[in-house]
Structure formats: structure tokens, C-alpha cells
């Protein structure tokens, strides 16, 4: 099996008063709580989701 690179993403700002599309992106990334850190594969689709909501999430290295 080929080792895929992973990125850690932290959900650090609340989604209250954000557009519905932003809320769906947060849910699509798998976040359920504030300050939660999830690990996802480093793919262009995940990177694109993070770029849509940079004010809500950050990449933790």
C-alpha cells in the first residue's frame, strides 16, 4: 500500500452567523465540536474545502 500524506485541521471559530454553505463544509470535513482536530488525507478536494472556510479552520502542522 502506498502511504498517503495526511493533514491535521483544527476547527477554531464558531459557525454561528455563517452562510449555510459554510456550515455544510464544516460538517463535510467531519467536525462536531469547537477546537476539534481531525486528520484527513491531503487531497485537492480537502484542500479546496479548507480554502472555502479559512476564517473557521486552520491547518495544524
Amino acid at each position: 500500500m502506498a502511504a498517503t500524506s495526511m493533514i491535521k485541521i483544527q476547527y477554531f471559530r464558531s459557525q454561528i452567523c455563517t452562510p449555510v454553505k459554510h456550515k455544510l463544509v464544516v460538517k463535510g470535513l467531519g467536525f462536531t465540536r469547537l477546537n476539534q482536530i481531525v486528520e484527513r488525507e491531503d487531497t485537492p478536494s480537502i484542500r479546496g474545502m479548507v480554502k472555502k472556510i479559512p476564517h473557521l479552520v486552520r491547518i495544524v502542522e
Side-chain angles (χ1 to χ4, degrees):
M1 282 179 77
T4 59
S5 60
M6 304 293 277
I7 56 172
K8 288 185 179 181
I9 309 165
Q10 181 182 16
Y11 173 42
F12 73 97
R13 185 159 296 160
S14 176
Q15 63 184 354
I16 296 173
C17 293
T18 59
V20 174
K21 287 187 176 184
H22 292 191
K23 293 176 184 177
L24 291 174
V25 172
V26 169
K27 188 175 181 181
L29 285 170
F31 291 112
T32 57
R33 296 183 311 276
L34 210 55
N35 294 317
Q36 181 180 5
I37 297 175
V38 295
E39 197 168 349
R40 298 286 173 248
E41 287 187 22
D42 191 6
T43 61
S45 61
I46 297 295
R47 289 278 181 170
M49 292 171 82
V50 171
K51 282 185 181 180
K52 289 291 182 183
I53 52 169
H55 55 288
L56 300 178
V57 300
R58 64 172 67 120
I59 295 177
V60 180
E61 305 270 1

